[in-house]
Amino acid sequence: MDARLADRLAELRVERGWPLEELAHRSGISRSTLSRLERGEISPTAALLGKLCEVYGRTMSRLLAEVEEEPPQVVTAGAQPVWRDEESGFVRRSLSPPHPGLRGEVVEATLRPGADISYDAPPVPGLEQHIWALEGAVEITANGRTHLLEAGDCLRFRLWGASRFRCPGPVQARYAIFVVLP
């Protein structure tokens, strides 16, 4: 999957006719890092992938779905793509990947204790999200407001600005994100 992701990131840049310098300017990511990402020499962190999704106007799930094979209607547990960012302590399982003709998706996320991930902007302005805390606690900042969710709590919003996900507790946070695509 990493090799297909690297190829897709290069394709997206070329489709727009941007040299690496232009993408570096738009994303705030160094030209050398972008070059290494596109050649598959390094795997992107959640934060880097978030910046690229913002520039390309895609959700992370949509971008990852573009490099996966067409998912069946029933996505068995063993077939659910899992992406890990070891640096930040973020694990993302695509329970219901984007599918042609469907506007929603479901993602399971896990953050290790102390994990803290920030995104400068949503990949798509006004993106509707519903976040359901399953285990532990997760602190979510969206549109300038911070919310602490504990197991069973659900937060729903449209994201217009920066966001942050933090695991403040002594145990990992596990939560489901329901995304409604525009």
Side-chain angles (χ1 to χ4, degrees), residues 65-83:
E66 290 173 4
V67 298
E68 298 165 357
E69 295 181 19
E70 181 69 23
Q73 286 189 322
V74 174
V75 183
T76 62
Q80 296 165 355
V82 176
W83 183 75

Side-chain angles (χ1 to χ4, degrees), residues 89-109:
F90 175 61
V91 178
R92 179 187 187 287
R93 177 183 296 276
S94 187
L95 302 172
S96 177
H99 191 278
L102 300 176
R103 293 186 19 198
E105 62 182 281
V106 182
V107 173
E108 176 190 47

Side-chain angles (χ1 to χ4, degrees), residues 2-14 18-21 23-24 31-44 52 56:
D2 283 341
R4 290 191 307 267
L5 180 58
D7 290 342
R8 183 61 183 141
L9 290 172
E11 287 171 2
L12 287 167
R13 181 180 55 77
V14 170
W18 296 341
L20 280 171
E21 292 80 11
L23 181 57
R31 182 189 182 286
S32 63
T33 298
L34 291 169
S35 178
R36 294 181 68 208
L37 283 171
E38 289 184 4
R39 290 193 316 262
E41 294 175 3
I42 60 173
S43 294
L52 291 172
Y56 292 131

Side-chain angles (χ1 to χ4, degrees), residues 141-156:
T141 302
N143 302 319
R145 295 187 62 200
T146 300
H147 309 271
L148 179 64
L149 302 181
E150 296 179 341
D153 295 344
C154 186
L155 172 66
R156 53 191 181 169

Side-chain angles (χ1 to χ4, degrees), residues 97-173:
H99 191 278
L102 300 176
R103 293 186 19 198
E105 62 182 281
V106 182
V107 173
E108 176 190 47
T110 305
L111 291 174
R112 71 174 171 239
D116 192 337
I117 302 172
S118 295
Y119 300 97
D120 295 333
V124 178
L127 186 67
E128 182 179 344
Q129 296 184 35
H130 301 253
I131 301 176
W132 178 27
L134 301 171
E135 294 176 8
V138 61
E139 182 183 276
I140 299 168
T141 302
N143 302 319
R145 295 187 62 200
T146 300
H147 309 271
L148 179 64
L149 302 181
E150 296 179 341
D153 295 344
C154 186
L155 172 66
R156 53 191 181 169
F157 57 92
R158 286 186 166 284
L159 187 59
W160 297 99
S163 61
R164 179 180 177 199
F165 293 76
R166 191 173 79 83
C167 179
V171 297
Q172 78 174 8

